[in-house]
Amino acid sequence: MNTVKVFGVNSWLLFSSLMLLPLFFSARLLSEEEKKSSSHSIGVSKWLLLSPISAPAPAFHDGKKGAFEAADHLELTLVPRHRLWPMSGEEVTWPDGAVSSWHEIEPSAEGLVQLDPGEAAGESSSFSVAYAAAFVEAGGFGKVKVTVSSSHLAKAWLAGEELLTKKKSDQGEREEKGGKGSEAAGEEDSKDEKMGEASGDVELHSGRHLLLVKLVRGEGGPKDWSFAATIESTELGKDELFTDLSPRRGMTVDDLLDMTAVSNVSLSPDGELVAVNLSEHSISREGMDRWLEVRRFSDGSVVRSYRGASPSGVSWAPTSHQFSFVTREDKKSTLWHADLKTGEVRALLSDVERLGSHAWAPDGKSIIYSMGEEPEKIKAGVKRMLDLPDRLGGFRNRSYLYQLSVASLARRRLTAGELTTNLGSIHPAGTKLLFVRSITGTKVRPFSKTELYELDLKTLVPELLKVSSWLGRVQYSPDGSQILALGGPSSFGDVGVAVPAGSIANDYDTQAYLISRGGEVEAISKAFHPSVQNAVWSRADGHIYLTAQVGSRVGLFRYVVEAKEYIPLSTGVDVVGQISVAPHAARMVFTGSSSNVPMTVHSLDLKPGSRSQLILEPGEEQFEHVEIGKVKDWSFNTSAGTRIQGRVHFPRGFDESKKYPCIVYYYGGTSPVGRSFGGRYPKNLWSENGYVVYVLQPSGATGYGQEFSARHVNNWGITVADEIIQGTRKFLSAHSFVDPDRVGCIGASYGGFMTMLLVTRTDLFAAAISHAGISSISSYWGEGFWGYAYSAVASAESYPWNRPDVYVDQSPLFAADKITTPLLLLHGTGDTNVPPGESEQMYTALRVLGRDVEYVRFEGENHWILDYEKRVIWMRTILAWFDRNLKKDNRSWDGLYGDSKEE
């Protein structure tokens, strides 16, 4: 079933096309003739050959039933093709202990490769098997036809797709023909009977692809064992198709989607062991494979691996090398207790529905965990909304805290009531804990409040400590006398606010606070420009370790509480992800990545002067041969004197003397475009496809100080649109290698709103893309399930009834008649953040106006496109739209959606 739908052709064209059907067929016949005349083919100039091996027939192969013949050998997977990318000299060890290696071989002048059947020749009970490989480079999108000629059996794959199968040997006793290393065939020999062949077609995307041929020789057939291959195309030009043996290649969509990812790291209390959760798409790509590895802090070596049932939620016991983790199956969860010393793994909770997070008590005798409850089902199809969040599923679900004895498995319930309780932190003495409850339905911005409680674990009597807005993570200090809390600048009144008079703070610019036992609040990051992401208070050295957004990077800092001083720590990565600090040792592990480096795991001794150490590189093998273009910073000053930072991603093999098309990417909302690797909008992939990519960080983003981030509030593109236009023009002026007539722009969510707004303000761009963009601020505010909540920051105290200058004047829909730039709209039909109606409205307006617009919907997808197959199409659609408009190359677009462009 096709779950991706493209809109772009008026319905009346259907009638017109039916009337012109006879003309269409005559034109189509002519087109096919033209294609034949323009067709060209290439041979493979060099092969990598995995020398023929003797493959004895299996026992009872000649029985009347269950017989095994040479054709059956074609279907056996002797060399796994998953991630196969061979190199000359690379060895393969066979099950019987024999070793073969890939080596280079040149075909004869006629393109033939002569194979030596080896010791198996002439033995009726044996077969000979060989593999040949070459890399096919495509300079664009197009269909190719591969023909393999072979005197015996053959099977071929190209770009992972099975192409062809030749299941029988040729008849007769043809004499051997020479390839390199044997006597060349004479002119008379070249007139011998042509070898049998098989062909197959495949569509190639731009990039390097593996052509793999499996060759099998059984009894019978000609003595000669040779093969040849040709590649033919009518759609790829002569300069766009070639073969060689270099394994070096550029990044592909598959690289981004199939790479192994680290989802969590957790350091043991003594700092000796690291638990790492990893995941990757299964070979079938129909699901995810998830597993858990325990590695040594010192060198990253594996101590234990747990596979199956998707282990997650690792929590270390406070003493010894014991930990707990969760597995889930059929919507039920089991909490396990693993002892690395004894190897014992036992279930603490079995087949529990709606099991949440858990944490060990400091004495190691009990575990605090959460478990959810669902309300009674309402009448089918009838629902009275209780509050604004009730529009989103799960609002009526509740979650409560429980305590479990590790020794006896006895348990008790700690919280109840009408509101969900979420665990914050357990007191170092184990006598109390912190939890929070969220209250919705308040009448003032931000329309919700968070209650912070302390619960006495002996009496189960809660004490309300604080009521706050935008409150995040909370944690006890090592001695339990203070609380470390993260929240927005306005979480505790004006204590954390550092914006000019008349401005409203951006409460997505997270700050760090210390709350004393008496309730006094100290803002410890008020003068610290980076935006805090996470923080952990170390029991080992008494310092607070934070990750914080520094522009487009995320750095690691030590906050010395006594000196009230922030000290940056060296990490070796652009973006620090998760951190885990050992409770009883001055050690830390963290994940990180950079613009050109996939995610890695590092260890760091927290003693002064120590440097981080790489202990795990999950993508090392997959990205071994991948080359990525360079990335450089580029910033400019606006006419208002604001310094706007940015960066440039260059194509691989960049040549400054050439002219390149350019893609401008931005978010423009409350956060910067980070320098992490890959992601949903992979600048490296775009640059690999021949684009210079300019990324800029306009006003309003966090990570540059509160004054800068506060510019986001009640602006809705007023400043940002001008900054993007100014920045693009200055970038073009400063870089002569960018073609100013071939510049496109793209943004998503708030960035999608910016795309729509930009093309109402300028014709600077030759193509534009909006994914899940906002066309009417008022409908997003009212229909998006959390549009009103986001607007509590972005549109503080502004509403459709009191600020039409924001809700109407800044909404792109109301200026749709000014759009002349070709615009692609992308949206998931199940988007609960920015409803698909935002794209529907703009599409309707531009179709009525007769403008160049396309709209592609992704069935069932939410704000992000997560389904594997749909995400592949989505990523290729983005490149295809830019190719169509910036390179005047329709092949990828037509390959995805057919020739739907109106003339």
Side-chain angles (χ1 to χ4, degrees):
M1 179 180 293
N2 183 12
T3 55
V4 179
K5 188 168 185 178
V6 61
F7 300 83
V9 182
N10 285 331
S11 59
W12 59 264
L13 285 177
L14 177 61
F15 176 75
S16 301
S17 62
L18 291 173
M19 296 297 291
L20 296 174
L21 207 55
L23 291 176
F24 169 81
F25 278 120
S26 63
R28 191 62 182 169
L29 289 172
L30 179 62
S31 177
E32 292 299 328
E33 290 300 319
E34 291 174 344
K35 285 184 177 180
K36 289 180 181 178
S37 65
S38 65
S39 173
H40 67 279
S41 64
I42 61 171
V44 178
S45 57
K46 281 186 179 181
W47 290 93
L48 283 173
L49 184 67
L50 192 60
S51 297
I53 62 164
S54 174
F60 308 113
H61 69 281
D62 53 358
K64 292 183 178 180
K65 293 184 178 181
F68 186 90
E69 301 176 346
D72 297 312
H73 237 305
L74 285 177
E75 306 306 318
L76 286 179
T77 303
L78 301 186
V79 177
R81 291 182 291 107
H82 180 58
R83 292 187 178 175
L84 178 65
W85 203 255
M87 289 190 303
S88 180
E90 187 175 1
E91 293 185 342
V92 174
T93 303
W94 302 101
D96 63 359
V99 177
S100 300
S101 61
W102 293 92
H103 62 278
E104 296 184 15
I105 187 169
E106 290 186 15
S108 68
E110 294 81 14
L112 286 175
V113 174
Q114 185 70 45
L115 300 176
D116 180 4
E119 298 178 358
E123 296 182 15
S124 61
S125 62
S126 294
F127 305 98
S128 293
V129 180
Y131 282 89
F135 298 112
V136 179
E137 183 80 17
F141 175 86
K143 182 181 290 186
V144 299
K145 177 182 179 181
V146 178
T147 300
V148 173
S149 304
S150 175
S151 55
H152 289 276
L153 288 70
K155 194 179 188 77
W157 300 262
L158 178 57
E161 299 289 334
E162 183 178 325
L163 276 178
L164 57 90
T165 303
K166 181 177 182 286
K167 294 185 177 181
K168 293 183 179 180
S169 296
D170 293 348
Q171 300 299 314
E173 298 286 335
R174 187 166 58 252
E175 293 297 321
E176 293 184 2
K177 293 184 180 179
K180 186 174 182 180
S182 63
E183 189 175 342
E187 184 176 344
E188 291 297 317
D189 290 330
S190 66
K191 298 178 182 178
D192 285 355
E193 180 184 354
K194 183 180 180 181
M195 284 189 297
E197 62 183 37
S199 301
D201 297 339
V202 66
E203 291 180 336
L204 294 183
H205 292 269
S206 179
R208 178 153 294 216
H209 311 277
L210 175 65
L211 172 62
L212 181 68
V213 182
K214 182 179 182 180
L215 302 143
V216 176
R217 183 182 189 276
E219 68 272 17
K223 293 181 180 179
D224 162 53
W225 189 17
S226 56
F227 78 97
T230 59
I231 306 171
E232 180 182 0
S233 180
T234 61
E235 299 176 0
L236 290 167
K238 292 182 180 180
D239 59 344
E240 292 183 304
L241 188 64
F242 64 89
T243 69
D244 65 21
L245 299 185
S246 171
R248 308 305 297 174
R249 62 182 180 85
M251 183 186 292
T252 67
V253 171
D254 290 344
D255 287 327
L256 293 169
L257 299 187
D258 294 342
M259 64 180 174
T260 304
V262 177
S263 57
N264 188 61
V265 291
S266 182
L267 187 58
S268 64
D270 61 3
E272 295 292 332
L273 300 175
V274 186
V276 185
N277 286 99
L278 299 115
S279 65
E280 64 183 14
H281 279 99
S282 60
I283 295 177
S284 68
R285 293 172 174 168
E286 294 179 353
M288 298 293 294
D289 291 333
R290 294 181 173 87
W291 68 99
L292 171 65
E293 293 177 353
V294 178
R295 293 174 172 264
R296 290 186 175 86
F297 176 91
S298 58
D299 59 10
S301 58
V302 177
V303 175
R304 190 73 56 86
S305 181
Y306 300 84
R307 286 185 177 261
S310 301
S312 63
V314 173
S315 180
W316 287 93
T319 57
S320 71
H321 288 165
Q322 300 179 32
F323 64 92
S324 52
F325 63 93
V326 176
T327 60
R328 292 180 171 86
E329 189 173 0
D330 297 329
K331 296 183 179 181
K332 293 184 178 181
S333 302
T334 298
L335 177 63
W336 300 92
H337 175 208
D339 189 323
L340 289 172
K341 183 177 181 180
T342 65
E344 179 187 8
V345 179
R346 67 184 182 111
L348 301 178
L349 295 170
S350 300
D351 296 330
V352 177
E353 293 185 351
R354 297 177 292 279
L355 180 65
S357 60
H358 70 281
W360 287 75
D363 61 4
K365 295 181 179 180
S366 67
I367 290 175
I368 307 296
Y369 66 96
S370 64
M371 193 162 62
E373 296 181 3
E374 292 184 356
E376 294 183 7
K377 291 185 178 180
I378 60 175
K379 295 179 180 179
V382 179
K383 181 178 179 180
R384 172 181 174 261
M385 299 298 161
L386 302 180
D387 201 350
L388 289 172
D390 199 17
R391 299 175 297 168
L392 187 63
F395 171 72
R396 302 186 186 192
N397 296 348
R398 296 291 180 263
S399 180
Y400 303 104
L401 300 179
Y402 295 77
Q403 187 173 21
L404 168 75
S405 168
V406 175
S408 68
L409 305 187
R411 63 198 79 171
R412 65 169 175 162
R413 183 164 173 169
L414 302 179
T415 62
E418 62 176 343
L419 299 177
T420 287
T421 52
N422 292 310
L423 178 65
S425 180
I426 304 175
H427 194 279
T431 56
K432 302 175 181 179
L433 61 78
L434 297 173
F435 69 83
V436 294
R437 305 198 313 171
S438 180
I439 304 172
T440 63
T442 57
K443 305 300 182 184
V444 296
R445 188 177 71 93
F447 314 109
S448 66
K449 294 287 184 181
T450 300
E451 297 176 331
L452 173 62
Y453 285 89
E454 185 174 60
L455 180 69
D456 188 310
L457 287 175
K458 183 176 182 180
T459 65
L460 298 188
V461 174
E463 179 186 355
L464 179 62
L465 302 181
K466 288 289 180 183
V467 179
S468 173
S469 301
W470 295 290
L471 182 64
R473 178 173 178 169
V474 294
Q475 180 192 349
Y476 280 111
S477 62
D479 63 1
S481 64
Q482 293 177 287
I483 296 172
L484 169 64
L486 304 184
S490 307
S491 287
F492 302 99
D494 293 332
V495 173
V497 174
V499 299
S503 299
I504 299 176
N506 181 340
D507 277 294
Y508 290 120
D509 198 341
T510 305
Q511 306 296 306
Y513 300 90
L514 296 183
I515 305 173
S516 70
R517 177 57 59 183
E520 294 80 12
V521 177
E522 178 187 0
I524 63 172
S525 62
K526 186 173 181 177
F528 182 61
H529 280 341
S531 180
V532 178
Q533 305 285 293
N534 193 10
V536 177
W537 204 328
S538 171
R539 297 181 188 178
D541 61 16
H543 302 315
I544 297 174
Y545 292 92
L546 309 94
T547 57
Q549 210 169 52
V550 187
S552 60
R553 293 173 169 85
V554 176
L556 180 63
F557 298 85
R558 174 191 289 124
Y559 180 70
V560 182
V561 179
E562 295 80 5
K564 298 184 179 182
E565 177 187 12
Y566 283 92
I567 301 173
L569 303 179
S570 175
T571 63
V573 297
D574 285 344
V575 177
V576 177
Q578 296 179 335
I579 62 173
S580 179
V581 178
H584 307 311
R587 289 181 168 185
M588 169 193 289
V589 291
F590 63 88
T591 63
S593 70
S594 299
S595 296
N596 286 356
V597 181
M599 184 178 290
T600 48
V601 181
H602 302 254
S603 62
L604 177 63
D605 193 312
L606 296 176
K607 296 176 183 177
S610 298
R611 300 179 63 88
S612 64
Q613 178 181 344
L614 176 66
I615 61 173
L616 177 60
E617 192 174 1
E620 180 179 13
E621 180 179 351
Q622 181 182 352
F623 286 86
E624 178 183 1
H625 306 297
V626 176
E627 295 178 337
I628 300 174
K630 294 181 179 179
V631 180
K632 294 183 179 179
D633 290 339
W634 190 83
S635 303
F636 72 96
N637 291 324
T638 69
S639 57
T642 301
R643 187 69 173 171
I644 300 297
Q645 293 185 357
R647 65 182 185 271
V648 186
H649 293 252
F650 293 90
R652 184 168 54 107
F654 172 74
D655 183 349
E656 193 169 352
S657 67
K658 295 181 178 180
K659 286 282 190 180
Y660 291 88
C662 176
I663 296 173
V664 179
Y665 183 77
Y666 42 77
Y667 177 56
T670 191
S671 59
V673 179
R675 299 175 71 101
S676 57
F677 183 81
R680 297 185 297 280
Y681 303 93
K683 279 64 72 176
N684 305 109
L685 179 65
W686 301 342
S687 65
E688 171 58 28
N689 281 268
Y691 294 96
V692 170
V693 183
Y694 171 42
V695 182
L696 71 163
Q697 318 287 357
S699 293
T702 57
Y704 299 93
Q706 287 193 44
E707 187 277 329
F708 193 89
S709 67
R711 300 179 190 181
H712 177 67
V713 182
N714 281 315
N715 192 276
W716 282 97
I718 295 172
T719 301
V720 171
D722 288 341
E723 290 177 345
I724 293 174
I725 293 169
Q726 282 187 40
T728 301
R729 285 178 173 156
K730 289 194 174 189
F731 178 77
L732 295 175
S733 177
H735 301 92
S736 59
F737 51 79
V738 175
D739 187 342
D741 295 325
R742 296 191 294 156
V743 181
C745 62
I746 177 174
S749 192
Y750 194 96
F753 157 77
M754 285 309 309
T755 290
M756 294 189 210
L757 185 64
L758 280 169
V759 294
T760 70
R761 303 281 180 89
T762 182
D763 59 1
L764 176 63
F765 302 103
I769 298 178
S770 166
H771 173 81
I774 301 164
S775 64
S776 175
I777 301 171
S778 60
S779 56
Y780 162 70
W781 171 81
E783 292 183 47
F785 283 178
W786 49 84
Y788 75 98
Y790 178 78
S791 297
V793 175
S795 315
E797 304 299 348
S798 297
Y799 306 97
W801 52 88
N802 68 359
R803 291 293 303 272
D805 59 315
V806 170
Y807 285 86
V808 176
D809 295 352
Q810 289 305 112
S811 292
L813 180 64
F814 295 96
D817 59 323
K818 295 181 174 62
I819 297 175
T820 58
T821 304
L823 176 62
L824 171 63
L825 302 168
L826 304 170
H827 225 119
T829 62
D831 195 331
T832 55
N833 183 351
V834 179
E838 295 302 313
S839 289
E840 304 272 353
Q841 293 179 112
M842 182 57 78
Y843 177 69
T844 299
L846 294 180
R847 291 305 300 173
V848 168
L849 289 164
R851 305 298 159 80
D852 189 351
V853 62
E854 295 278 358
Y855 177 30
V856 181
R857 293 194 308 206
F858 295 83
E859 189 68 33
E861 295 299 292
N862 206 305
H863 201 51
W864 301 344
I865 309 302
L866 298 180
D867 176 83
Y868 189 96
E869 292 185 3
K870 293 173 191 171
R871 189 163 183 177
V872 169
I873 296 172
W874 174 71
M875 295 176 82
R876 287 179 174 161
T877 296
I878 290 171
L879 281 168
W881 180 254
F882 284 133
D883 285 353
R884 169 174 150 170
N885 290 283
L886 304 184
K887 296 181 180 179
K888 303 306 178 186
D889 183 352
N890 294 341
R891 290 175 298 182
S892 293
W893 183 268
D894 293 345
L896 286 166
Y897 302 112
D899 187 8
S900 58
K901 182 175 174 62
E902 295 180 53
E903 299 297 334

